[in-house]
Amino acid sequence: MISLNPETFVEGGGLIDDAKVTFDECSFEMFDYGGKIVPGVPTLKVSMTTEDGDEVTQNYSVGSPKDWAPSEDGKGLVAVGKATALRLSSNCGIFLQNLVDVGFPADKLGEDISILKGLVAHVIQIPAPKRAGLKKKEGDFEKTILVVDEIIKLPWEKKSKKTTKAKAKAKTSTKTEEAEGDSDLNAKAIEHITKLLAEGDGTLAKKDLPAKLFTTLKTDPDRNAIIKIAFDDEFLEAGPWTYNSGEGTLTL
């Protein structure tokens, strides 16, 4: 079966956000997205429960059914085509890479995804990267991906980590500290977006920002926060570039 460790990847449900959740079940399954894709595509299914007791199920696309299929017990993926490694650009790849980035041991992600059962974490929505061939229809919302931005308790731990959640820390910090933190992140976002504009032809589409920043900030611990800031129209309108909100473009 295929390894689920992001280090081996190659480049290429109801919405919740800013919430503490417990992973109840993690498995691979064929999913048809409410009948929109028949007979379905291989996905990572994560069932979780929020602090308020709400049950949420999220499916993360893995790739083509020509390449992958769930194992008989749903704990792993079986290669059925030419592909030999998951793509980092898939929703499943992005989810697992973020998980490792915030501290989940990569060596624990072997071939059995059920290792995630019992994980307690804080999750947020981040903008999904632009996908070739997928055109946004009028009235469609910007696509996002639910990812872990903080691990509170690993599945095999008896007690939660003795760390303060970023969200809770922000609530107890002074207004000055909050302002300084936001200012630092804004400065980093401006720096990286300006660099992307300079490296190109001086023009960049807003919809391309998440994917480009995701790659550029691969090892930056502030990556998710910066991507979220960079997708905010108020921030883009105040930047050192010209932002056309109607066309969704930035120009130096």
Side-chain angles (χ1 to χ4, degrees):
M1 291 192 292
I2 189 68
S3 172
L4 305 175
N5 185 336
E7 293 178 357
T8 67
F9 295 179
V10 295
E11 293 289 350
L15 291 180
I16 60 172
D17 188 17
D18 192 16
K20 177 182 176 181
V21 300
T22 298
F23 285 25
D24 300 317
E25 179 188 355
C26 298
S27 61
F28 289 99
E29 68 170 16
M30 298 300 289
F31 186 59
D32 65 4
Y33 291 90
K36 294 180 180 179
I37 302 177
V38 179
V41 295
T43 64
L44 166 59
K45 173 186 175 182
V46 180
S47 298
M48 58 194 89
T49 303
T50 68
E51 281 186 300
D52 297 328
D54 295 327
E55 296 180 353
V56 179
T57 297
Q58 194 80 27
N59 284 79
Y60 298 88
S61 57
V62 170
S64 170
K66 294 180 180 180
D67 292 323
W68 309 107
S71 61
E72 189 173 340
D73 59 8
K75 293 182 178 181
L77 277 176
V78 179
V80 295
K82 296 181 179 180
T84 58
L86 296 179
R87 289 187 178 276
L88 279 170
S89 58
S90 68
N91 285 3
C92 179
I94 291 172
F95 170 77
L96 291 176
Q97 182 63 66
N98 270 271
L99 188 63
V100 170
D101 287 347
V102 297
F104 194 93
D107 58 1
K108 292 286 187 179
L109 290 171
E111 298 178 347
D112 185 353
I113 198 63
S114 67
I115 186 69
L116 298 183
K117 182 178 180 180
L119 177 72
V120 180
H122 184 262
V123 294
I124 60 171
Q125 296 281 350
I126 64 171
K130 177 186 175 183
R131 298 277 161 66
L134 295 180
K135 295 183 178 180
K136 183 181 177 182
K137 298 179 181 179
E138 186 175 350
D140 284 354
F141 293 102
E142 294 291 346
K143 294 186 181 299
T144 59
I145 301 174
L146 187 70
V147 300
V148 173
D149 73 330
E150 182 184 3
I151 292 174
I152 298 170
K153 184 175 78 69
L154 291 166
W156 50 86
E157 292 180 328
K158 294 182 179 180
K159 295 182 179 180
S160 299
K161 293 177 178 294
K162 294 182 179 180
T163 57
T164 304
K165 285 177 55 180
K167 180 183 176 184
K169 185 176 181 180
K171 288 182 178 179
T172 58
S173 64
T174 64
K175 291 184 178 180
T176 300
E177 290 172 332
E178 290 177 347
E180 289 177 349
D182 290 343
S183 178
D184 289 343
L185 288 175
N186 286 349
K188 288 181 71 173
I190 290 173
E191 175 188 351
H192 288 289
I193 293 174
T194 302
K195 185 177 180 181
L196 288 173
L197 284 165
E199 290 175 347
D201 59 2
T203 301
L204 187 63
K206 175 187 175 182
K207 62 184 179 181
D208 293 335
L209 277 175
K212 290 184 178 295
L213 288 173
F214 186 86
T215 301
T216 302
L217 303 171
K218 185 176 181 180
T219 59
D220 193 315
D222 294 325
R223 179 183 62 187
N224 291 346
I226 292 173
I227 290 175
K228 197 168 186 177
I229 289 172
F231 218 65
D232 182 78
D233 278 351
E234 289 187 10
F235 165 78
L236 293 176
E237 288 172 354
W241 46 70
T242 300
Y243 175 57
N244 186 321
S245 59
E247 297 180 359
T249 57
L250 292 78
T251 307
L252 277 179

